Amino acid sequence: MSTDRSKRIYLSPPHMGGSEQKYIAEAFESNFIAPLGPQVNGFEKDFSEISGFKHCAALTSGTAAMHLALRILGVSSGDVVIASDLTFIGSVSPVTFLGAEPVFVDSDYETWNMDPELLDKAIKSCIAEGRTPKAVVPTDLYGQCADYDRILEVLKPYSIPLVIDAAESVGSMYKGKFAGKGAFAAVYSFNGNKIITSSGGGMLASDDEETIEKARWLSQQAREPKPYYEHNEIGYNYRMSNVVAAIGRGQLEVLEERVRRKREIFDFYEQRLASHKGLSFMPDPDFGKSNRWLTVMLIDSSLFGATPEEIRLALEKENIESRPVWNPMHRQPVFKNCQTFGGKVGEDLFEHGLCLPCGTAMTADELELVVSTILNCRK
Ligand SMILES: *Cc1c(COP(=O)(O)O)cnc(C)c1O
Protein backbone atom coordinates (compact mmCIF):
# COMPACT_ATOMS: atom_id res chain seq x y z
CA MET A 1 0.00 0.00 0.00
CA SER A 2 1.28 3.43 -0.93
CA THR A 3 -0.19 5.15 2.12
CA ASP A 4 2.44 6.95 4.20
CA ARG A 5 1.83 5.76 7.77
CA SER A 6 3.89 8.54 9.31
CA LYS A 7 1.00 10.75 8.28
CA ARG A 8 -1.64 10.48 10.96
CA ILE A 9 -5.24 9.98 9.86
CA TYR A 10 -7.25 12.31 12.07
CA LEU A 11 -10.86 11.90 13.07
CA SER A 12 -12.20 15.00 11.31
CA PRO A 13 -9.49 17.57 10.53
CA PRO A 14 -10.00 20.98 8.91
CA HIS A 15 -10.33 20.98 5.12
CA MET A 16 -9.97 24.37 3.46
CA GLY A 17 -11.83 25.03 0.24
CA GLY A 18 -9.65 27.59 -1.53
CA SER A 19 -11.37 30.95 -1.28
CA GLU A 20 -10.67 31.36 2.46
CA GLN A 21 -7.36 33.10 1.65
CA LYS A 22 -9.07 35.46 -0.76
CA TYR A 23 -11.38 36.66 2.02
CA ILE A 24 -8.48 36.84 4.48
CA ALA A 25 -6.55 38.94 1.95
CA GLU A 26 -9.54 41.29 1.73
CA ALA A 27 -9.52 41.59 5.50
CA PHE A 28 -5.79 42.39 5.47
CA GLU A 29 -6.05 44.85 2.59
CA SER A 30 -8.83 46.75 4.31
CA ASN A 31 -6.80 46.59 7.57
CA PHE A 32 -9.89 45.31 9.40
CA ILE A 33 -7.81 42.92 11.48
CA ALA A 34 -9.41 43.97 14.72
CA PRO A 35 -12.77 42.52 15.69
CA LEU A 36 -15.68 43.59 13.52
CA GLY A 37 -15.55 44.65 9.94
CA PRO A 38 -17.05 43.73 6.59
CA GLN A 39 -16.15 40.02 6.74
CA VAL A 40 -18.15 39.57 9.96
CA ASN A 41 -21.17 41.27 8.41
CA GLY A 42 -20.68 39.23 5.25
CA PHE A 43 -20.42 35.95 7.16
CA GLU A 44 -23.61 36.73 9.09
CA LYS A 45 -25.44 37.62 5.89
CA ASP A 46 -24.20 34.48 4.09
CA PHE A 47 -25.21 32.32 7.05
CA SER A 48 -28.64 33.94 7.19
CA GLU A 49 -29.16 33.11 3.56
CA ILE A 50 -28.08 29.51 3.86
CA SER A 51 -29.88 28.78 7.15
CA GLY A 52 -33.10 30.65 6.45
CA PHE A 53 -32.83 32.43 9.81
CA LYS A 54 -33.56 36.14 9.49
CA HIS A 55 -30.80 37.21 11.88
CA CYS A 56 -27.39 35.84 12.88
CA ALA A 57 -24.63 36.92 15.26
CA ALA A 58 -21.08 35.68 14.61
CA LEU A 59 -19.32 34.81 17.87
CA THR A 60 -16.12 33.30 19.20
CA SER A 61 -17.57 29.80 19.74
CA GLY A 62 -20.67 27.64 19.82
CA THR A 63 -20.40 27.56 23.60
CA ALA A 64 -20.51 31.39 23.65
CA ALA A 65 -23.57 31.30 21.36
CA MET A 66 -25.40 28.96 23.75
CA HIS A 67 -24.38 31.13 26.71
CA LEU A 68 -25.84 34.25 25.07
CA ALA A 69 -29.02 32.47 23.95
CA LEU A 70 -29.73 31.29 27.50
CA ARG A 71 -28.80 34.61 29.07
CA ILE A 72 -31.16 36.47 26.69
CA LEU A 73 -33.95 34.00 27.51
CA GLY A 74 -33.52 35.10 31.12
CA VAL A 75 -31.94 31.94 32.49
CA SER A 76 -30.46 32.78 35.87
CA SER A 77 -29.58 31.45 39.28
CA GLY A 78 -31.82 28.62 40.47
CA ASP A 79 -33.46 28.05 37.08
CA VAL A 80 -33.71 24.72 35.30
CA VAL A 81 -32.77 24.07 31.64
CA ILE A 82 -33.46 20.72 29.98
CA ALA A 83 -30.63 19.39 27.83
CA SER A 84 -29.65 16.24 25.98
CA ASP A 85 -27.88 13.67 28.13
CA LEU A 86 -25.85 12.34 25.21
CA THR A 87 -23.93 15.40 24.07
CA PHE A 88 -20.72 17.38 24.35
CA ILE A 89 -20.25 19.51 27.45
CA GLY A 90 -20.19 22.77 25.44
CA SER A 91 -23.91 22.29 25.05
CA VAL A 92 -24.49 22.30 28.80
CA SER A 93 -21.74 24.26 30.55
CA PRO A 94 -23.41 27.61 29.65
CA VAL A 95 -26.36 26.58 31.85
CA THR A 96 -23.99 26.49 34.80
CA PHE A 97 -22.27 29.78 33.80
CA LEU A 98 -25.64 31.40 34.57
CA GLY A 99 -26.01 29.65 37.94
CA ALA A 100 -28.82 27.46 36.59
CA GLU A 101 -29.10 23.71 36.73
CA PRO A 102 -29.24 21.32 33.77
CA VAL A 103 -31.73 18.44 33.78
CA PHE A 104 -30.79 15.68 31.36
CA VAL A 105 -33.05 13.74 29.03
CA ASP A 106 -31.92 10.49 27.42
CA SER A 107 -31.91 9.66 23.69
CA ASP A 108 -34.17 7.28 21.81
CA TYR A 109 -32.82 4.58 19.51
CA GLU A 110 -34.61 5.93 16.42
CA THR A 111 -32.70 9.22 16.34
CA TRP A 112 -30.03 8.89 19.09
CA ASN A 113 -31.36 12.33 20.09
CA MET A 114 -33.61 13.66 22.85
CA ASP A 115 -36.57 11.34 23.41
CA PRO A 116 -39.74 13.52 23.13
CA GLU A 117 -41.76 11.30 25.48
CA LEU A 118 -39.09 11.43 28.17
CA LEU A 119 -38.88 15.18 27.61
CA ASP A 120 -42.57 15.51 28.44
CA LYS A 121 -42.04 13.49 31.61
CA ALA A 122 -39.09 15.67 32.60
CA ILE A 123 -41.06 18.89 32.06
CA LYS A 124 -44.03 17.62 34.07
CA SER A 125 -41.75 16.58 36.90
CA CYS A 126 -39.94 19.95 36.96
CA ILE A 127 -43.26 21.80 36.98
CA ALA A 128 -44.56 19.59 39.82
CA GLU A 129 -41.52 20.76 41.80
CA GLY A 130 -42.43 24.37 41.01
CA ARG A 131 -39.54 24.83 38.59
CA THR A 132 -40.82 25.33 35.04
CA PRO A 133 -37.81 24.87 32.72
CA LYS A 134 -36.60 28.15 31.22
CA ALA A 135 -35.50 26.49 27.98
CA VAL A 136 -35.05 23.15 26.25
CA VAL A 137 -31.77 22.67 24.36
CA PRO A 138 -31.60 19.39 22.42
CA THR A 139 -28.44 18.49 20.54
CA ASP A 140 -28.38 17.35 16.90
CA LEU A 141 -26.02 14.46 17.59
CA TYR A 142 -23.19 13.86 15.10
CA GLY A 143 -25.14 15.87 12.54
CA GLN A 144 -28.43 14.04 12.92
CA CYS A 145 -31.31 16.43 13.58
CA ALA A 146 -33.48 15.76 16.61
CA ASP A 147 -37.16 15.30 15.77
CA TYR A 148 -37.96 19.03 16.11
CA ASP A 149 -41.68 18.75 15.30
CA ARG A 150 -42.31 16.17 18.00
CA ILE A 151 -40.27 18.18 20.50
CA LEU A 152 -42.14 21.41 19.57
CA GLU A 153 -45.44 19.59 20.04
CA VAL A 154 -44.38 18.60 23.55
CA LEU A 155 -43.29 22.17 24.36
CA LYS A 156 -46.39 23.91 22.98
CA PRO A 157 -48.71 23.66 26.02
CA TYR A 158 -45.98 24.97 28.29
CA SER A 159 -44.65 27.70 25.95
CA ILE A 160 -41.07 26.81 26.80
CA PRO A 161 -38.59 28.16 24.22
CA LEU A 162 -36.57 25.73 22.10
CA VAL A 163 -32.89 26.38 21.40
CA ILE A 164 -31.33 23.78 19.13
CA ASP A 165 -27.70 22.92 19.67
CA ALA A 166 -26.87 22.53 15.99
CA ALA A 167 -23.10 22.77 16.62
CA GLU A 168 -22.61 19.42 14.86
CA SER A 169 -25.35 19.68 12.22
CA VAL A 170 -24.28 22.63 10.05
CA GLY A 171 -25.58 21.69 6.60
CA SER A 172 -28.02 19.00 7.78
CA MET A 173 -31.70 19.22 6.87
CA TYR A 174 -34.89 18.60 8.82
CA LYS A 175 -37.94 18.11 6.59
CA GLY A 176 -36.28 20.19 3.90
CA LYS A 177 -35.20 23.03 6.20
CA PHE A 178 -31.73 23.89 7.49
CA ALA A 179 -30.78 22.28 10.82
CA GLY A 180 -31.99 24.39 13.74
CA LYS A 181 -34.66 26.27 11.74
CA GLY A 182 -38.03 26.13 13.44
CA ALA A 183 -36.56 26.69 16.91
CA PHE A 184 -36.63 30.04 18.68
CA ALA A 185 -32.87 30.09 18.25
CA ALA A 186 -30.11 27.78 17.07
CA VAL A 187 -26.45 27.53 17.96
CA TYR A 188 -23.76 26.54 15.44
CA SER A 189 -20.05 25.83 15.84
CA PHE A 190 -17.10 26.29 13.49
CA ASN A 191 -14.59 24.68 15.81
CA GLY A 192 -11.57 22.94 14.26
CA ASN A 193 -13.05 19.46 13.88
CA LYS A 194 -16.57 20.42 12.82
CA ILE A 195 -17.78 19.90 9.25
CA ILE A 196 -16.65 23.41 8.34
CA THR A 197 -14.32 25.47 10.48
CA SER A 198 -13.34 29.11 10.79
CA SER A 199 -10.43 27.97 13.01
CA GLY A 200 -12.80 28.40 15.95
CA GLY A 201 -16.07 30.28 16.10
CA GLY A 202 -19.81 30.06 16.48
CA MET A 203 -23.09 31.55 15.34
CA LEU A 204 -26.33 32.36 17.12
CA ALA A 205 -29.32 32.45 14.76
CA SER A 206 -32.93 33.45 15.30
CA ASP A 207 -35.85 35.04 13.49
CA ASP A 208 -36.19 37.40 16.44
CA GLU A 209 -34.23 40.53 15.60
CA GLU A 210 -34.16 41.82 19.17
CA THR A 211 -32.53 38.61 20.38
CA ILE A 212 -29.72 38.80 17.84
CA GLU A 213 -29.14 42.51 18.40
CA LYS A 214 -28.93 41.89 22.12
CA ALA A 215 -26.50 39.01 21.47
CA ARG A 216 -24.23 41.31 19.45
CA TRP A 217 -24.37 43.92 22.18
CA LEU A 218 -23.66 41.45 25.00
CA SER A 219 -20.82 39.93 22.95
CA GLN A 220 -19.06 43.32 22.94
CA GLN A 221 -19.05 44.07 26.67
CA ALA A 222 -22.59 45.53 26.74
CA ARG A 223 -21.41 49.05 26.13
CA GLU A 224 -24.07 51.76 26.17
CA PRO A 225 -24.34 53.81 22.94
CA LYS A 226 -22.50 56.83 24.33
CA PRO A 227 -19.24 58.51 23.33
CA TYR A 228 -17.69 57.50 26.67
CA TYR A 229 -17.80 54.07 28.29
CA GLU A 230 -20.89 53.27 30.30
CA HIS A 231 -22.20 49.84 31.30
CA ASN A 232 -25.56 49.08 32.89
CA GLU A 233 -25.20 45.33 32.38
CA ILE A 234 -22.29 42.90 32.41
CA GLY A 235 -21.41 41.59 28.96
CA TYR A 236 -18.74 39.37 27.44
CA ASN A 237 -15.95 39.49 24.91
CA TYR A 238 -17.54 36.99 22.50
CA ARG A 239 -17.55 38.71 19.12
CA MET A 240 -16.00 36.95 16.13
CA SER A 241 -13.00 38.71 14.59
CA ASN A 242 -12.93 39.87 10.99
CA VAL A 243 -10.11 37.47 10.02
CA VAL A 244 -11.91 34.47 11.50
CA ALA A 245 -15.10 35.45 9.68
CA ALA A 246 -13.12 35.57 6.42
CA ILE A 247 -12.22 31.88 6.85
CA GLY A 248 -15.84 31.08 7.74
CA ARG A 249 -17.09 32.71 4.53
CA GLY A 250 -14.73 30.65 2.42
CA GLN A 251 -15.82 27.49 4.21
CA LEU A 252 -19.53 28.19 3.71
CA GLU A 253 -18.91 28.10 -0.04
CA VAL A 254 -17.85 24.44 0.20
CA LEU A 255 -20.42 23.32 2.79
CA GLU A 256 -22.59 21.48 0.30
CA GLU A 257 -19.55 19.69 -1.09
CA ARG A 258 -18.41 18.74 2.44
CA VAL A 259 -21.83 17.30 3.29
CA ARG A 260 -21.80 15.30 0.07
CA ARG A 261 -18.35 13.86 0.89
CA LYS A 262 -19.20 13.14 4.56
CA ARG A 263 -22.27 11.21 3.44
CA GLU A 264 -20.22 9.35 0.84
CA ILE A 265 -17.69 8.33 3.53
CA PHE A 266 -20.50 7.15 5.81
CA ASP A 267 -21.99 5.10 2.96
CA PHE A 268 -18.60 3.58 2.18
CA TYR A 269 -18.09 2.40 5.77
CA GLU A 270 -21.64 1.13 6.00
CA GLN A 271 -21.39 -0.79 2.73
CA ARG A 272 -18.09 -2.37 3.67
CA LEU A 273 -18.77 -3.10 7.34
CA ALA A 274 -22.48 -3.38 8.13
CA SER A 275 -22.70 -6.84 6.56
CA HIS A 276 -20.32 -8.18 9.19
CA LYS A 277 -21.98 -9.72 12.23
CA GLY A 278 -22.00 -7.40 15.23
CA LEU A 279 -21.45 -4.13 13.32
CA SER A 280 -24.13 -1.52 12.68
CA PHE A 281 -24.36 2.22 12.04
CA MET A 282 -26.22 5.30 13.23
CA PRO A 283 -29.80 5.21 11.93
CA ASP A 284 -31.12 7.67 9.34
CA PRO A 285 -34.69 8.71 10.16
CA ASP A 286 -36.60 9.80 7.07
CA PHE A 287 -37.50 13.24 8.46
CA GLY A 288 -34.06 14.54 7.70
CA LYS A 289 -30.80 14.44 5.87
CA SER A 290 -27.81 14.29 8.19
CA ASN A 291 -24.53 15.97 7.28
CA ARG A 292 -22.91 12.81 8.71
CA TRP A 293 -20.40 14.97 10.56
CA LEU A 294 -19.01 11.83 12.15
CA THR A 295 -19.55 8.23 11.10
CA VAL A 296 -20.50 6.30 14.21
CA MET A 297 -20.38 2.52 14.27
CA LEU A 298 -21.90 0.28 16.94
CA ILE A 299 -20.04 -2.87 17.89
CA ASP A 300 -21.55 -5.93 19.52
CA SER A 301 -18.25 -7.44 20.58
CA SER A 302 -19.55 -10.96 21.27
CA LEU A 303 -20.77 -11.18 17.67
CA PHE A 304 -17.93 -9.27 16.03
CA GLY A 305 -14.97 -10.57 18.01
CA ALA A 306 -13.44 -7.28 19.19
CA THR A 307 -14.54 -4.53 21.55
CA PRO A 308 -14.74 -0.85 20.53
CA GLU A 309 -11.64 -0.20 22.66
CA GLU A 310 -9.71 -3.04 20.97
CA ILE A 311 -10.66 -1.59 17.58
CA ARG A 312 -9.63 1.88 18.71
CA LEU A 313 -6.22 0.60 19.85
CA ALA A 314 -5.71 -1.39 16.63
CA LEU A 315 -6.42 1.78 14.61
CA GLU A 316 -4.12 3.79 16.88
CA LYS A 317 -1.30 1.34 16.14
CA GLU A 318 -1.70 2.29 12.46
CA ASN A 319 -1.57 5.96 13.43
CA ILE A 320 -5.32 6.33 12.84
CA GLU A 321 -7.48 8.36 15.20
CA SER A 322 -10.92 7.13 16.28
CA ARG A 323 -12.93 8.13 19.33
CA PRO A 324 -15.55 6.80 21.73
CA VAL A 325 -19.07 8.23 21.51
CA TRP A 326 -19.76 11.20 23.86
CA ASN A 327 -19.83 10.08 27.47
CA PRO A 328 -23.36 10.96 28.70
CA MET A 329 -23.66 14.04 30.89
CA HIS A 330 -25.18 12.10 33.81
CA ARG A 331 -21.89 10.17 34.04
CA GLN A 332 -19.81 13.35 34.33
CA PRO A 333 -18.50 13.94 37.87
CA VAL A 334 -19.29 17.69 37.52
CA PHE A 335 -22.98 16.84 37.04
CA LYS A 336 -23.28 14.12 39.68
CA ASN A 337 -26.01 16.03 41.53
CA CYS A 338 -28.13 16.76 38.44
CA GLN A 339 -31.39 15.06 37.64
CA THR A 340 -31.57 12.69 34.64
CA PHE A 341 -34.57 11.14 32.91
CA GLY A 342 -33.63 7.76 31.49
CA GLY A 343 -29.95 7.33 30.71
CA LYS A 344 -29.70 3.72 29.57
CA VAL A 345 -29.82 4.46 25.83
CA GLY A 346 -26.95 6.95 26.03
CA GLU A 347 -24.96 4.54 28.19
CA ASP A 348 -25.53 1.75 25.67
CA LEU A 349 -24.43 3.93 22.74
CA PHE A 350 -21.38 5.09 24.71
CA GLU A 351 -20.40 1.51 25.54
CA HIS A 352 -20.83 0.12 22.03
CA GLY A 353 -20.07 3.09 19.78
CA LEU A 354 -16.93 4.23 18.00
CA CYS A 355 -16.51 7.35 15.86
CA LEU A 356 -14.50 6.49 12.74
CA PRO A 357 -12.12 8.85 10.95
CA CYS A 358 -14.06 10.70 8.27
CA GLY A 359 -12.12 13.77 7.22
CA THR A 360 -13.48 15.01 3.90
CA ALA A 361 -9.96 14.98 2.40
CA MET A 362 -9.40 11.28 3.19
CA THR A 363 -8.19 9.19 0.26
CA ALA A 364 -9.63 5.88 -0.94
CA ASP A 365 -6.47 4.11 0.30
CA GLU A 366 -6.87 5.60 3.74
CA LEU A 367 -10.51 4.52 3.93
CA GLU A 368 -9.52 1.00 2.83
CA LEU A 369 -6.85 0.89 5.52
CA VAL A 370 -9.38 1.81 8.23
CA VAL A 371 -11.74 -0.94 7.05
CA SER A 372 -9.05 -3.63 6.84
CA THR A 373 -7.62 -2.67 10.23
CA ILE A 374 -11.08 -2.99 11.80
CA LEU A 375 -11.74 -6.36 10.17
CA ASN A 376 -8.27 -7.71 10.99
CA CYS A 377 -8.48 -7.04 14.69
CA ARG A 378 -11.12 -9.74 15.27
CA LYS A 379 -9.98 -12.57 17.50
C1 LIG B 1 -18.62 21.48 19.37
C2 LIG B 1 -19.86 21.47 20.15
C3 LIG B 1 -20.24 22.56 20.95
C4 LIG B 1 -19.35 23.71 21.26
O1 LIG B 1 -18.91 24.44 20.20
P1 LIG B 1 -17.54 25.27 20.36
O2 LIG B 1 -17.52 26.11 19.14
O3 LIG B 1 -16.43 24.26 20.41
O4 LIG B 1 -17.64 26.05 21.61
C5 LIG B 1 -21.47 22.52 21.58
N1 LIG B 1 -22.27 21.46 21.47
C6 LIG B 1 -21.95 20.39 20.73
C7 LIG B 1 -22.91 19.27 20.64
C8 LIG B 1 -20.73 20.34 20.07
O5 LIG B 1 -20.37 19.24 19.39
Side-chain angles (χ1 to χ4, degrees), residues 10 14 19 66 69 90 107 152 157 184 205 209 245 259 300 348 364 366 379:
Y10 289 100
S19 49
M66 182 61 82
S107 301
L152 283 166
F184 171 73
E209 187 171 11
V259 172
D300 181 333
D348 183 44
E366 288 173 335
K379 285 188 251 349

Side-chain angles (χ1 to χ4, degrees), residues 262-377:
K262 283 280 190 188
R263 289 181 62 85
E264 204 173 76
I265 291 171
F266 179 96
D267 292 344
F268 168 82
Y269 281 129
E270 190 175 43
Q271 273 164 24
R272 296 295 297 276
L273 293 167
S275 55
H276 291 269
K277 268 205 181 65
L279 299 184
S280 61
F281 288 80
M282 192 170 183
D284 195 11
D286 53 17
F287 58 64
K289 185 179 168 199
S290 171
N291 68 5
R292 297 294 195 200
W293 169 53
L294 293 186
T295 291
V296 191
M297 184 170 75
L298 289 181
I299 300 113
D300 181 333
S301 48
S302 59
L303 287 174
F304 180 65
T307 65
E309 181 60 6
E310 283 166 340
I311 298 174
R312 192 186 71 78
L313 291 172
L315 290 168
E316 195 55 51
K317 228 183 225 165
E318 294 289 334
N319 207 10
I320 299 168
E321 185 183 29
S322 62
R323 232 180 255 178
V325 165
W326 300 128
N327 190 6
M329 292 299 115
H330 78 269
R331 293 167 48 107
Q332 304 295 340
V334 285
F335 294 134
K336 65 177 186 294
N337 297 322
C338 294
Q339 217 181 345
T340 306
F341 289 80
K344 294 281 176 250
V345 178
E347 277 175 24
D348 183 44
L349 296 173
F350 169 67
E351 267 165 44
H352 295 101
L354 190 67
C355 303
L356 302 181
C358 52
T360 42
M362 271 178 85
T363 65
D365 279 356
E366 288 173 335
L367 286 164
E368 287 292 346
L369 180 66
V370 175
V371 165
S372 62
T373 307
I374 291 171
L375 293 177
N376 290 336
C377 77

Side-chain angles (χ1 to χ4, degrees), residues 54 64 94 101 106 151-152 156 226 243 268 295 323 325 370:
K54 289 202 186 93
E101 204 180 293
D106 200 359
I151 289 173
L152 283 166
K156 213 170 173 186
K226 294 189 173 169
V243 174
F268 168 82
T295 291
R323 232 180 255 178
V325 165
V370 175

Side-chain angles (χ1 to χ4, degrees), residues 60-64 87-91 139-140 165 167-168 187-191 193-194 200-202 293 326:
T60 47
S61 70
T63 310
T87 189
F88 173 62
I89 193 155
S91 188
T139 292
D140 290 344
D165 181 348
E168 301 176 0
V187 165
Y188 304 91
S189 168
F190 313 110
N191 194 10
N193 67 358
K194 297 299 201 290
W293 169 53
W326 300 128

Side-chain angles (χ1 to χ4, degrees), residues 100-260:
E101 204 180 293
V103 166
F104 301 115
V105 170
D106 200 359
S107 301
D108 58 35
Y109 281 114
E110 291 74 49
T111 65
W112 293 21
N113 284 313
M114 188 180 277
D115 179 337
E117 281 170 34
L118 265 185
L119 169 64
D120 196 38
K121 253 194 187 168
I123 294 172
K124 287 196 167 91
S125 160
C126 289
I127 290 174
E129 287 172 17
R131 303 209 291 172
T132 303
K134 272 282 172 74
V136 171
V137 297
T139 292
D140 290 344
L141 197 72
Y142 297 122
Q144 179 96 273
C145 292
D147 196 344
Y148 304 157
D149 283 355
R150 286 186 63 208
I151 289 173
L152 283 166
E153 209 178 292
V154 168
L155 297 183
K156 213 170 173 186
Y158 312 103
S159 19
I160 300 171
L162 177 66
V163 178
I164 299 286
D165 181 348
E168 301 176 0
S169 58
V170 175
S172 301
M173 304 299 271
Y174 178 83
K175 298 189 180 169
K177 283 186 281 185
F178 200 81
K181 186 78 173 109
F184 171 73
V187 165
Y188 304 91
S189 168
F190 313 110
N191 194 10
N193 67 358
K194 297 299 201 290
I195 188 160
I196 55 169
T197 180
S198 58
S199 78
M203 191 75 79
L204 179 64
S206 176
D207 288 329
D208 185 56
E209 187 171 11
E210 211 179 303
T211 294
I212 297 305
E213 273 177 5
K214 180 130 197 221
R216 289 198 191 105
W217 179 72
L218 282 172
S219 74
Q220 294 163 84
Q221 308 285 19
R223 185 182 164 190
E224 295 301 324
K226 294 189 173 169
Y228 51 90
Y229 287 87
E230 184 174 298
H231 305 273
N232 298 318
E233 274 187 62
I234 296 291
Y236 314 89
N237 184 3
Y238 277 174
R239 196 72 164 124
M240 182 179 278
S241 92
N242 202 47
V243 174
V244 167
I247 304 173
R249 288 185 84 183
Q251 286 273 279
L252 262 194
E253 290 180 1
V254 293
L255 176 59
E256 213 180 293
E257 166 60 22
R258 295 292 179 267
V259 172
R260 195 193 59 70

